[in-house]
Amino acid sequence: MEHHEQPEPLSPAELAAVRRSAANGRLAMTRRTLLRAGSAMAVAAGGLGALGACGIPPAGRTDAGRSTDHSRAEKRLNFSNWTEYMDVSDNGKRHPTLDAFTRRSGIAVKYTEDINDNDEFFGKVQAQLAAGQDTGRDLIVLTDWMCARMISLGWIQKLDTANLPHAYANLAPQFRDPAWDPGRAHSYVWQGIPAIIAYNKKATGGRKVDSVSQLLEDPRLKGRVGFLSEMRDSVGLTLLDMGKSPEDVTADDFDAAIARLQKGVDAKQIRRFTGNDYTTDLDKGDLAACVAWAGDIVQLQSDNPDIEYVIPKSGYMTSTDNLMVPNKARHKQNAERLIDYFYEPKVAARLAAYINYVCPVDGVRDELAKIDKKAADNPLILPDKEMAARSHSFRALNAKESKEFAQKFSDLTGA
């Protein structure tokens, strides 16, 4: 009888973080609401929902992911993604980039927006993947910490670089070698999600706010500072401000960052830890300055000229949503062809112009400028080399660390 590794259940603190994130964090947002309706733009689910399970040995046999690839005989693929995360035609009924792929390749794409929450989706597919069964999906998009979890469980197939010439050549350097998937053996970036500092210059009296130190220590900001309820973003930026690396964070480093944030809470410098609802407070000036998601700021600035952002000199945090092929997928090669298609600069530009995330494709600037010059010049969509060099990501946590870190952050935020 074949043994399949089961993920460890979440602790109460981790479950609370998932519920909190689903209620008002990145999980709660719809990705295009700001562009189309003037409220908070979505960012993919991040935070600390189910950070654990990294470090669990691969599930089952070493051939658990292998299956017959039916791509040549079956010119189709099933693609699961988040809602509002693909370009849409004016009538709202078509996806132009996907339609162009089908016309060129002859491969029909069944595109389903059935990912609303990393953990919820994990719950949908874990029994099938643990049993070595096909999920019915050839391509999925999940956030980096969940990708790390699924790769560590042995549930994601290695990609064939021979089918990914554009992706291999054009992936931006800052995304090439994450600790949780060295060399991008199992994944390619769909979009990047930076956490930075934003401020309302009317609320600050025209003063610039450019560091976590200033957020925590400037008496003129007291009671009007916000941090995010997503642990990796708020703690990660604090670590960077302390000269520590989130990629190599130790338990002592983490405790020191928590203590520093706790001091800001106790002194009532920090007004609150927020989900996406910070956008309204920042827009009105109730928050003078805060940790913010870049996608929100791109859109807030279009309506409010007082909104400014800063990339701290110490660096900023970036998470990613990533394309992966699950075990037993019937159409792996077709899925790889679609991944590669989205790394062609013209295609990547069309997508970036529509969704306004950090585009992971090098060489897209000229193509994007033809569509939207303002977007092409925005470093929150196309980071320049200096900005890209300051990007950091939180290292993958094992199950024990995840529970401990989640509990400490929960105690800090009062969640």
Side-chain angles (χ1 to χ4, degrees):
M1 182 174 173
E2 190 174 336
H3 170 71
H4 294 281
E5 193 77 47
Q6 294 290 343
E8 190 170 330
L10 300 181
S11 68
E14 290 171 304
L15 286 169
V18 173
R19 287 193 293 272
R20 184 171 68 250
S21 199
N24 74 348
R26 289 193 291 204
L27 304 183
M29 295 185 263
T30 56
R31 283 181 167 73
R32 292 293 293 180
T33 49
L34 243 171
L35 283 179
R36 292 291 181 250
S39 60
M41 182 180 180
V43 191
L48 42 96
L51 298 172
C54 298
I56 292 176
R61 300 191 312 245
T62 56
D63 66 346
R66 295 179 190 168
S67 60
T68 303
D69 192 343
H70 300 271
S71 291
R72 291 189 180 182
E74 299 174 1
K75 303 291 280 185
R76 62 179 184 269
L77 71 94
N78 296 322
F79 182 5
S80 283
N81 203 348
W82 297 76
T83 57
E84 310 292 341
Y85 218 12
M86 183 69 72
D87 59 313
V88 179
S89 61
D90 290 340
N91 65 10
K93 295 181 179 179
R94 309 294 301 177
H95 298 292
T97 54
L98 292 178
D99 292 346
F101 173 77
T102 297
R103 286 194 300 271
R104 182 203 295 184
S105 66
I107 298 169
V109 181
K110 182 182 178 184
Y111 183 71
T112 309
E113 295 179 333
D114 62 346
I115 303 178
N116 301 300
D117 173 327
N118 283 282
D119 283 291
E120 178 187 65
F121 184 78
F122 183 85
K124 283 183 186 178
V125 299
Q126 71 175 77
Q128 293 165 298
L129 290 168
Q133 297 171 356
D134 179 12
T135 66
R137 298 167 176 87
D138 302 300
L139 193 60
I140 59 177
V141 176
L142 293 171
T143 309
D144 44 23
W145 54 269
M146 181 55 79
C147 296
R149 187 181 197 195
M150 294 183 75
I151 290 168
S152 73
L153 285 164
W155 292 352
I156 301 298
Q157 296 194 53
K158 280 194 171 183
L159 300 173
D160 185 349
T161 54
N163 296 326
L164 299 161
H166 295 97
Y168 186 79
N170 295 337
L171 178 62
Q174 76 178 97
F175 300 121
R176 281 192 175 269
D177 197 31
W180 51 269
D181 188 21
R184 289 285 174 189
H186 304 82
S187 67
Y188 269 87
V189 180
W190 179 245
Q191 300 292 302
I193 311 158
I196 57 174
I197 291 175
Y199 63 97
N200 183 321
K201 64 185 178 185
K202 187 174 180 181
T204 66
R207 293 189 311 280
K208 184 177 184 179
V209 180
D210 60 5
S211 70
V212 168
S213 289
Q214 189 175 357
L215 288 176
L216 292 173
E217 297 164 12
D218 187 340
R220 295 170 296 186
L221 300 176
K222 184 173 181 177
R224 297 187 297 151
V225 169
F227 278 77
L228 292 169
S229 59
E230 302 291 357
M231 181 202 74
R232 292 182 170 205
D233 294 327
S234 288
V235 175
L237 280 167
T238 304
L239 285 165
L240 289 169
D241 191 73
M242 297 165 68
K244 302 290 186 179
S245 168
E247 289 89 349
D248 304 310
V249 61
T250 65
D252 287 345
D253 292 339
F254 185 86
D255 288 348
I258 291 289
R260 192 163 178 228
L261 289 166
Q262 185 68 56
K263 189 176 177 182
V265 171
D266 295 343
K268 295 184 167 46
Q269 180 80 2
I270 297 174
R271 184 185 185 99
R272 61 195 183 100
F273 289 82
T274 71
N276 66 307
D277 49 332
Y278 76 86
T279 56
T280 301
D281 288 346
L282 182 64
D283 191 41
K284 291 191 301 184
D286 291 343
L287 283 177
C290 62
V291 175
W293 289 309
D296 294 337
I297 304 310
V298 171
Q299 302 311 318
L300 283 176
Q301 286 182 320
S302 67
D303 296 321
N304 186 343
D306 291 324
I307 302 300
E308 300 281 358
Y309 73 89
V310 169
I311 307 301
K313 288 181 181 177
S314 59
Y316 66 100
M317 299 301 295
T318 301
S319 57
T320 55
D321 283 340
N322 308 275
L323 296 148
M324 301 189 300
V325 178
N327 284 358
K328 301 297 182 182
R330 285 181 64 90
H331 312 108
K332 178 175 182 280
Q333 188 172 13
N334 290 347
E336 290 167 338
R337 288 182 67 181
L338 186 60
I339 294 171
D340 196 61
Y341 169 75
F342 277 106
Y343 273 79
E344 295 178 22
K346 284 187 178 181
V347 179
R350 287 199 292 272
L351 186 65
Y354 190 85
I355 63 177
N356 290 174
Y357 282 78
V358 169
C359 178
V361 181
D362 252 0
V364 79
R365 188 175 305 277
D366 290 346
E367 295 295 339
L368 183 55
K370 295 174 187 175
I371 304 169
D372 185 342
K373 189 171 187 311
K374 191 174 179 181
D377 292 337
N378 191 330
L380 297 184
I381 298 173
L382 293 184
D384 56 28
K385 286 185 179 180
E386 182 189 359
M387 180 172 169
R390 285 191 272 166
S391 170
H392 294 266
S393 58
F394 214 95
R395 74 167 171 86
L397 302 175
N398 62 38
K400 181 174 181 288
E401 290 172 324
S402 175
K403 287 179 171 56
E404 291 174 354
F405 286 19
Q407 186 61 59
K408 289 172 180 176
F409 191 70
S410 179
D411 292 343
L412 166 74
T413 62

